């Protein structure tokens, strides 16, 4: 069973460009989480998604950031008009659902995408 | 608001030493607590997960304890090896009202020297 996959592993963008980060959860997992690790800081929660639904986006910046998890295909974290402060490692995690649709199970993390904004 | 603190921020020990990493959290209403390992430039590897009803979990040379009432967890590493060198993170999941997000500590950077 392949783990959580993220691509690209490294992404370089110039200020003002768009960044698209992709995450494929583990097989059988329908819950996806995005976290951001800024330089010299801890990991911070950004957003929690289930298939076609955003469940909790309390950690997402109000502007320029969006996330989706379509019925088919990977989850996408999209950053529009990137600025230097967006440079960070972005981690995706996934977990399986429990009965009733909620998920309190262990989260498994991908290798991350390291975004550098020039 | 949940805050997670890890002490020490950095630790250097000689090979073979037993060591303890500390994690404290301000809100004891947690569902579970996880310990992770992060190698430089890499992702997170889950080491141990302790449910709120449990007191400890063991895996090989690792033992994690949880004292929910006092808001503390410890990660004990026995007979440390150079390959244990990494950053160790603890993270808690809130019991209710916080969704399923993990709140992370800032980590302890461990170096095990030959």
């Amino acid at each position: 069973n392949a783990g959580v996959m993220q691509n690209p592993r490294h992404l370089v963008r110039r200020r003002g460009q768009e960044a698209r980060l992709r995450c494929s959860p583990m097989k059988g997992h329908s819950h996806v989480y995005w976290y951001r690790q800024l330089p010299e800081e801890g990991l911070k929660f950004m957003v929690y998604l289930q298939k076609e639904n955003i469940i909790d986006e309390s950690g997402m910046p109000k502007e320029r950031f969006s996330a989706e998890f379509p019925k088919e295909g990977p989850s996408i974290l999209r950053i529009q008009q990137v600025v230097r402060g967006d440079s960070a490692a972005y981690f995706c995690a996934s977990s399986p659902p429990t009965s009733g649709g909620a998920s309190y199970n262990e989260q498994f993390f991908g290798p991350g995408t390291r975004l550098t904004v020039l | 608001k949940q805050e997670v603190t890890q002490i020490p921020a950095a630790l250097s020990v000689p090979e073979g030493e037993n060591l303890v990493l500390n994690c404290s959290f301000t809100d004891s209403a947690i569902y579970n607590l996880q310990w992770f390992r992060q190698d430089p430039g890499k992702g997170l590897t889950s080491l141990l997960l302790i449910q709120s009803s449990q007191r400890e979990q063991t895996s090989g040379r690792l033992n994690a304890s949880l004292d929910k009432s006092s808001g503390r967890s410890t990660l004990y590493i026995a007979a440390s090896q150079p390959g244990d060198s990494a950053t160790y993170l603890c993270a808690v999941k809130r019991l209710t009202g916080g969704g399923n997000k993990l709140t992370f500590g800032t980590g302890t950077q461990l170096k095990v020297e030959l």
Side-chain angles (χ1 to χ4, degrees), chain A residues 76-87:
Chain A
I76 306 288
L77 179 67
R78 181 183 179 200
I79 311 172
Q80 295 179 291
Q81 300 175 351
V82 297
V83 301
R84 287 196 176 138
D86 297 333
S87 296

Side-chain angles (χ1 to χ4, degrees), chain B residues 29-44:
Chain B
I30 65 169
Y31 188 82
N32 60 40
L33 182 145
Q34 273 183 272
W35 282 94
F36 294 88
R37 166 186 174 139
Q38 185 176 26
D39 293 280
K42 301 289 181 62
L44 279 70

Side-chain angles (χ1 to χ4, degrees), chain B residues 17-87:
Chain B
E17 193 162 298
N18 302 326
L19 57 100
V20 175
L21 307 181
N22 298 291
C23 171
S24 61
F25 44 95
T26 55
D27 186 348
S28 62
I30 65 169
Y31 188 82
N32 60 40
L33 182 145
Q34 273 183 272
W35 282 94
F36 294 88
R37 166 186 174 139
Q38 185 176 26
D39 293 280
K42 301 289 181 62
L44 279 70
T45 301
S46 180
L47 299 173
L48 291 164
L49 181 148
I50 311 177
Q51 300 291 356
S52 62
S53 58
Q54 297 174 322
R55 296 284 294 184
E56 65 179 333
Q57 283 286 336
T58 298
S59 176
R61 295 183 293 109
L62 305 179
N63 176 276
S65 68
L66 175 63
D67 184 344
K68 198 173 64 167
S69 62
S70 67
R72 294 182 181 181
S73 176
T74 61
L75 178 67
Y76 175 82
I77 303 177
S80 58
Q81 303 171 357
D84 294 331
S85 298
T87 296

Side-chain angles (χ1 to χ4, degrees), chain A residues 91-113:
Chain A
F91 291 95
C92 169
S94 72
S95 67
T98 56
S99 60
S103 174
Y104 296 103
N105 289 331
E106 184 174 359
Q107 293 181 21
F108 295 84
F109 281 74
T113 293

Side-chain angles (χ1 to χ4, degrees), chain A residues 35-111:
Chain A
Y35 295 83
R36 178 168 67 172
Q37 187 174 38
L38 292 166
E40 307 304 322
E41 292 188 20
L43 278 89
K44 304 290 185 186
F45 167 81
M46 299 181 74
V47 62
Y48 161 42
L49 310 100
Q50 296 179 23
K51 284 284 187 180
E52 300 185 279
N53 286 303
I54 297 175
I55 308 302
D56 179 359
E57 56 182 348
S58 59
M60 286 280 271
K62 300 300 181 188
E63 298 178 347
R64 303 187 297 107
F65 285 72
S66 63
E68 63 176 7
F69 189 17
K71 186 176 181 180
E72 300 292 337
S75 174
I76 306 288
L77 179 67
R78 181 183 179 200
I79 311 172
Q80 295 179 291
Q81 300 175 351
V82 297
V83 301
R84 287 196 176 138
D86 297 333
S87 296
Y90 292 83
F91 291 95
C92 169
S94 72
S95 67
T98 56
S99 60
S103 174
Y104 296 103
N105 289 331
E106 184 174 359
Q107 293 181 21
F108 295 84
F109 281 74

